[in-house]
């Protein structure tokens, strides 16, 4: 049985102060906060989700804001760069916008495409790349119109402790196709039109350390729960220790660590973020799973603010 993921489902990272996180991803990048909930294992802290208007698979970045945690260190065993895709011919708009908010960026070219590389307030590497592929987001916020808005992930750069093995896993287990090589990078592609370009660094860096400003894991897409069951068997057959199925409210998840040290998750596209709120109101209220609802009052008093707001320029 050969299986192919359509691409990235979501990426999850550790950051610091939650309002700074919201101000950057909603206020500057113009993403929609599609869900505000808590870390089910540590309900005094948030789990925040941002994406396109619907929180479509392939557009979702999720954060654990831990304001008092140590800064992590970028290195192998991690996602090194998270790339976002914007509509064609809009990089000029984004350059102006970043300049207005005094966010420094660098331009570079990779596989013939121009990228703007920047850092979020907690040190995560983020890139913007313009492509025709992918449907426009219907979310407009804080001066980002829908025809300029981020459509979803362009892809990611993976830093592996064992690049050859990671590349083999991407091809043989995840079903990605090797497309090109350039310098110390190899590019793989999946079948979706977003979240589909995965670049692997061929040289292993010193091992990274998890903490603020690092990606915790990358999740790949499964179509539905039947497909998810097949994925679990498929991954096990390659000898990976894969977790039992976990209910994450908005998707089901399984996890395994690939040989290069990167934590991989496979997550189902359904049910999605309109599962416990309407499309119109998603993200506006703190959502709690039923078993935490009785503790809502104490949870709400513990949590720091995390509210999407329109930012003043060059704040
Ligand atoms: Zn996840």
């Amino acid at each position: 049985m050969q299986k192919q993921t359509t691409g990235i489902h979501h990426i999850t990272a550790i950051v610091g102060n939650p309002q700074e996180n919201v101000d950057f991803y909603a206020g500057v990048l113009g993403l929609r906060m599609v869900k505000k909930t808590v870390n089910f294992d540590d309900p005094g802290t948030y789990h925040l989700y941002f994406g396109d208007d619907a929180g479509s698979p392939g557009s979702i970045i999720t954060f654990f804001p831990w304001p008092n945690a140590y800064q992590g260190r970028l290195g192998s065993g991690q996602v090194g760069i998270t790339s976002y895709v914007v509509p064609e011919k809009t990089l000029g708009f984004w350059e102006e916008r970043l300049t207005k908010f005094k966010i420094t960026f660098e331009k570079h070219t990779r596989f013939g495409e121009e990228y703007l590389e920047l850092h979020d307030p907690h040190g995560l590497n983020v890139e913007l790349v313009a492509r025709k592929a992918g449907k426009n987001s219907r979310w407009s916020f804080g001066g980002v119109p829908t025809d300029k808005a981020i459509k979803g992930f362009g892809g990611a750069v993976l830093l592996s402790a064992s690049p050859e093995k990671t590349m083999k896993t991407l091809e043989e287990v995840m079903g990605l196709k090797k497309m090109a090589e350039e310098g110390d990078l190899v590019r793989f592609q999946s079948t979706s039109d977003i979240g589909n370009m995965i670049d692997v660094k061929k040289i292993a860096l010193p091992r990274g350390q998890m903490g603020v400003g690092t990606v915790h894991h990358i999740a790949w897409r499964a179509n539905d729960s039947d497909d998810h069951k097949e994925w679990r068997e498929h991954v096990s057959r390659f000898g990976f220790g894969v977790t039992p199925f976990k209910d994450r409210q908005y998707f089901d998840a399984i996890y395994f660590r690939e040989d290069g040290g990167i934590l991989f998750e496979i997550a189902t596209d359904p049910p999605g973020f309109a599962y416990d709120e309407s499309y119109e109101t998603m993200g506006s209220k703190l959502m709690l799973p039923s078993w935490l609802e009785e503790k809502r009052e104490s949870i709400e008093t513990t949590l720091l603010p995390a509210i999407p707001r329109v930012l003043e320029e060059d704040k």
Side-chain angles (χ1 to χ4, degrees), residues 121-133:
H122 303 115
L124 280 168
N125 295 323
V126 176
E127 288 176 331
L128 300 177
V129 60
R131 284 180 195 148
K132 191 174 178 206

Side-chain angles (χ1 to χ4, degrees), residues 108-164:
H108 62 254
T109 303
R110 195 161 81 233
F111 295 105
E113 296 181 298
E114 194 185 357
Y115 285 82
L116 305 183
E117 185 175 353
L118 51 143
H119 308 284
D120 89 348
H122 303 115
L124 280 168
N125 295 323
V126 176
E127 288 176 331
L128 300 177
V129 60
R131 284 180 195 148
K132 191 174 178 206
K135 70 171 173 37
N136 281 6
S137 175
R138 286 159 57 205
W139 190 250
S140 169
F141 186 77
V144 182
T146 53
D147 64 349
K148 310 276 194 312
I150 286 173
K151 298 194 268 192
F153 294 123
V157 176
L158 305 186
L159 306 177
S160 168
S162 190
E164 287 302 324

